[in-house]
Amino acid sequence: QQQVKQSPQSLIVQKGGIPIINCAYENTAFDYFPWYQQFPGKGPALLIAIRPDVSEKKEGRFTISFNKSAKQFSLHIMDSQPGDSATYFCAASMQAAGNKLTFGGGTRVLVKP
Amino acid sequence: DVKVTQSSRYLVKRTGEKVFLECVQDMDHENMFWYRQDPGLGLRLIYFSYDVKMKEKGDIPEGYSVSREKKERFSLILESASTNQTSMYLCASRPPGQGWSGELFFGEGSRLTVL
């Protein structure tokens, strides 16, 4: 049973397009929602993160939108570039459970030149 | 620079063999984790350790054990490897305490194939 559901599994966009990755969670006790980016042959690395008291957060071309009532959050990659081609994981954690991260299934994004 | 090193990038083992996956971090982090990564399932937590000699089961501990004799080293052990343990294994560490940003620092992974 996955507590964090991520979609789609894969995504292909043209350079300059805006890939959107969606995640949904069940447990309302989650209080921290990071996104990780993984390039082939590398381990995941923290990209951006949000807390549920904020509806949107931007870092460079990456934006997280958070909808607490719907228990959903999404990652938008603005003006996507071929170098953004990677696998993206959403995750959630709760302080009450020692901040252990629960990951979504991952989305492989390919940005074509 | 932050560094988590997994000693073996690729391993091929036979069913029933004992397998050791080693992980070393140089950041003096107290918390260390072992995940396995499978397509469509994301990263699933196997075991974690909040300090030396301490270990806690994650979501999928069956068939695995761990050892943390020194702060910088966290080992994952497959007592008797099975084909369903063929996977990518990722080690991670993080600093403890309040104000933790949520950031896990991952190694590059160990791809294990069990024949």
Side-chain angles (χ1 to χ4, degrees):
Chain A
Q1 179 189 353
Q2 269 193 313
Q3 293 192 55
V4 179
K5 293 184 179 179
Q6 184 172 345
S7 63
Q9 283 198 350
S10 64
L11 200 49
I12 301 174
V13 297
Q14 293 295 133
K15 178 183 173 183
I18 306 176
I20 301 172
I21 305 169
N22 299 299
C23 287
Y25 62 97
E26 296 291 328
N27 194 334
T28 55
F30 284 138
D31 55 18
Y32 196 75
F33 301 88
W35 286 85
Y36 280 76
Q37 179 188 52
Q38 184 182 31
F39 293 108
K42 300 293 185 183
L46 180 66
L47 181 64
I48 186 173
I50 197 168
R51 295 201 179 273
D53 53 349
V54 175
S55 61
E56 185 175 278
K57 183 174 181 180
K58 293 182 182 180
E59 282 188 8
R61 294 182 293 103
F62 298 92
T63 299
I64 302 177
S65 298
F66 191 87
N67 186 331
K68 189 175 181 178
S69 61
K71 294 187 287 185
Q72 294 175 349
F73 58 111
S74 60
L75 177 71
H76 295 61
I77 307 175
M78 305 302 182
D79 187 27
S80 60
Q81 302 295 313
D84 297 328
S85 298
T87 300
Y88 293 82
F89 295 95
C90 62
S93 67
M94 63 182 94
Q95 195 169 7
N99 289 319
K100 288 180 295 178
L101 281 174
T102 298
F103 285 86
T107 298
R108 182 175 290 184
V109 174
L110 175 64
V111 181
K112 291 189 168 183
Chain B
D1 217 15
V2 165
K3 191 76 173 175
V4 177
T5 303
Q6 295 182 231
S7 56
S8 303
R9 293 296 305 273
Y10 301 94
L11 302 95
V12 179
K13 299 291 181 181
R14 297 214 172 267
T15 302
E17 280 192 79
K18 191 169 186 176
V19 182
F20 292 87
L21 299 180
E22 305 284 342
C23 175
V24 177
Q25 51 96 1
D26 65 357
M27 298 162 286
D28 204 34
H29 288 169
E30 292 182 358
N31 303 161
M32 295 189 74
F33 304 80
W34 275 105
Y35 287 88
R36 64 176 281 175
Q37 179 178 0
D38 300 287
L41 297 178
L43 282 69
R44 292 179 293 165
L45 182 62
I46 305 171
Y47 265 96
F48 61 102
S49 169
Y50 284 132
D51 206 343
V52 177
K53 306 262 185 197
M54 294 179 65
K55 59 184 178 183
E56 298 275 348
K57 292 180 180 179
D59 299 319
I60 52 164
E62 297 78 19
Y64 303 95
S65 62
V66 290
S67 173
R68 185 117 182 252
E69 295 296 319
K70 292 185 177 182
K71 189 175 185 179
E72 68 270 18
R73 188 178 298 269
F74 192 35
S75 302
L76 181 69
I77 303 158
L78 288 67
E79 293 289 342
S80 177
S82 63
T83 54
N84 63 12
Q85 292 178 310
T86 291
S87 186
M88 171 68 83
Y89 290 88
L90 289 163
C91 174
S93 73
R94 76 169 192 215
Q98 292 183 349
W100 170 57
S101 68
E103 183 165 13
L104 290 179
F105 295 89
F106 283 90
E108 294 192 326
S110 298
R111 183 166 292 281
L112 172 67
T113 301
V114 183
L115 302 175

